[in-house]
Amino acid sequence: MGSIAPYAVSLLLRLIYGVTNILTKGAFSQGTSACVLVFYRFLIASVLLLPVAYAFERKTAPPLSFKVSLKLFVHALYGMSASTIISYIGLKYTSATSASAVTNLLPVFTFFLAVLFRMESLNLKRSHGIVKVSGLVLCSIGVTVLALYQGPELKSFIHHRLFHQTSHDSTNSARKWILGVILQSFAAAMWALWAVLQGHLFGEYPSKLLNTTLQIVFASIQSFLMALLIERDFSRWKLCLDVGLVAILFCGITLAILCYLQVWLVDMRGPVFLSTTVPLTLLFTIILTFLIGEAVTLGSVISGVIMVGGLYNVLWGKRLEQVATSAQGDDGGNAALDLEEQEASVPKTQD
């Protein structure tokens, strides 16, 4: 049973991400404000996580200094509140499928940012280095295809659509679509930077659950201030019994759940295992999109497949590097270092 649990949890995680993309897009299509949704999402997650983090880590957590608090605030600003708002605005202009496709960039961006920070190696004179770079090239091609080619719509076999378009945003506008893809990709890069720098932050404040919870609390405050600046129409802050409320509740509750499950999964199987399950989000999103009667553009599917190839090229390059290192027999037992302990962590709170 223990060997099955990580696979079951990973499937649950990717299904949650897929449902989140579908519900969020549905809420935006019916007029829900992206900034307001982000604020309520972080607020609900904060209310749920704070008592849990306090109960589990109040005795083991080190004192929280002003310096650490400031770092947590800054990390929450660019890695949670700002990046989520940017991603959701991009989602308004594109589709749930495109958002799931861009998710495949997260582990790739994380790896190459780790290279820039000299936390990972990249030797272009070796085959594993070339394979890693080819992964970045494939991801770049995938993003380009996603931005410039929508292609024909793949119609669902269900003709009754669950969500009806009532907002004035046209996701079919070519310029808005390209802008949306750019915003989603930029948000993915911000999340990747957040993930790379979490290692240093956990070194200063090692209580993982409380660390992440405090960042979510700060993100709720930040997103509230951002929403006040961006969304001046206070009638859009009102919660009604519609898909917007369902999306807010689901996103807030699942964010709290995802934080715990992903930390558990990384502890059990390592971040590489978590990275290999990322493409399942795209698969679940496509299936769910058809089930609610929506169409999927051919360009989103093609670009998603290309980016999945880029992700697995990077992971393949890491495996080749491990094999080459092991073959050299450096320091005897040290040559067989676990690959999963060498990978940069994958973002734990993003959809």
Side-chain angles (χ1 to χ4, degrees):
M1 183 65 182
S3 60
I4 299 176
Y7 296 95
V9 170
S10 63
L11 288 174
L12 176 61
L13 288 175
R14 298 309 162 191
L15 178 60
I16 290 174
Y17 280 130
V19 174
T20 297
N21 288 334
I22 294 291
L23 281 178
T24 304
K25 179 60 181 179
F28 293 157
S29 68
Q30 297 193 13
T32 302
S33 169
C35 299
V36 172
L37 192 153
V38 171
F39 161 62
Y40 282 131
R41 179 195 185 195
F42 281 124
L43 179 63
I44 293 173
S46 299
V47 172
L48 294 175
L49 279 174
L50 266 177
V52 176
Y54 178 77
F56 279 94
E57 298 189 346
R58 69 181 187 276
K59 295 181 179 180
T60 59
L64 188 64
S65 65
F66 175 78
K67 179 181 178 181
V68 172
S69 299
L70 183 60
K71 288 186 177 181
L72 290 172
F73 185 87
V74 173
H75 280 265
L77 179 60
Y78 75 85
M80 290 189 179
S81 54
S83 58
T84 305
I85 288 176
I86 291 172
S87 177
Y88 277 11
I89 293 175
L91 177 59
K92 288 182 63 177
Y93 296 152
T94 54
S95 67
T97 308
S98 71
S100 297
V102 172
T103 303
N104 292 283
L105 296 176
L106 288 174
V108 179
F109 281 167
T110 301
F111 170 75
F112 282 96
L113 282 172
V115 171
L116 292 178
F117 285 100
R118 297 187 177 183
M119 299 166 62
E120 285 282 351
S121 62
L122 181 63
N123 187 353
L124 295 179
K125 295 181 180 180
R126 302 295 299 274
S127 60
H128 53 73
I130 297 174
V131 171
K132 292 175 187 177
V133 172
S134 69
L136 179 61
V137 173
L138 282 174
C139 286
S140 302
I141 295 174
V143 171
T144 303
V145 171
L146 182 63
L148 301 180
Y149 176 72
Q150 295 187 44
E153 289 188 340
L154 306 177
K155 301 291 185 179
S156 170
F157 59 89
I158 297 177
H159 301 293
H160 179 72
R161 298 176 62 180
L162 182 62
F163 303 126
H164 299 283
Q165 182 87 14
T166 59
S167 71
H168 298 291
D169 292 326
S170 175
T171 56
N172 294 321
S173 168
R175 290 184 178 180
K176 286 186 176 181
W177 182 277
I178 294 174
L179 176 61
V181 172
I182 293 174
L183 290 175
Q184 289 174 341
S185 301
F186 182 65
M190 295 174 68
W191 285 331
L193 179 62
W194 175 86
V196 169
L197 298 180
Q198 284 305 291
H200 295 294
L201 193 57
F202 282 134
E204 294 189 44
Y205 198 74
S207 300
K208 291 184 178 180
L209 184 58
L210 190 57
N211 187 314
T212 305
T213 300
L214 289 174
Q215 290 189 65
I216 291 177
V217 172
F218 286 140
S220 65
I221 298 172
Q222 295 160 357
S223 58
F224 172 71
L225 297 176
M226 293 178 188
L228 283 178
L229 293 175
I230 298 174
E231 189 54 76
R232 302 295 183 89
D233 183 3
F234 289 100
S235 64
R236 303 190 69 185
W237 290 70
K238 184 179 179 181
L239 298 178
C240 303
L241 293 176
D242 56 11
V243 67
L245 178 60
V246 175
I248 288 171
L249 292 174
F250 184 85
C251 291
I253 295 172
T254 55
L255 176 58
I257 296 173
L258 289 172
C259 287
Y260 174 78
L261 291 182
Q262 289 188 136
V263 168
W264 178 86
L265 193 59
V266 170
D267 287 339
M268 287 288 293
R269 298 297 300 268
V272 171
F273 178 82
L274 188 62
S275 298
T276 59
T277 66
V278 170
L280 291 175
T281 301
L282 176 61
L283 176 62
F284 281 132
T285 303
I286 292 175
I287 294 173
L288 291 170
T289 299
F290 283 134
L291 289 178
I292 64 172
E294 300 288 341
V296 175
T297 61
L298 180 61
S300 296
V301 176
I302 294 175
S303 63
V305 171
I306 295 174
M307 283 186 271
V308 168
L311 166 61
Y312 282 126
N313 263 32
V314 172
L315 297 176
W316 180 34
K318 284 296 299 177
R319 178 62 64 182
L320 291 175
E321 183 181 33
Q322 185 205 20
V323 172
T325 302
S326 299
Q328 293 175 358
D330 293 338
D331 297 326
N334 291 333
L337 287 174
D338 189 353
L339 171 65
E340 296 185 350
E341 294 178 355
Q342 299 177 43
E343 284 286 343
S345 296
V346 176
K348 299 180 177 59
T349 60
Q350 321 308 333
D351 332 324

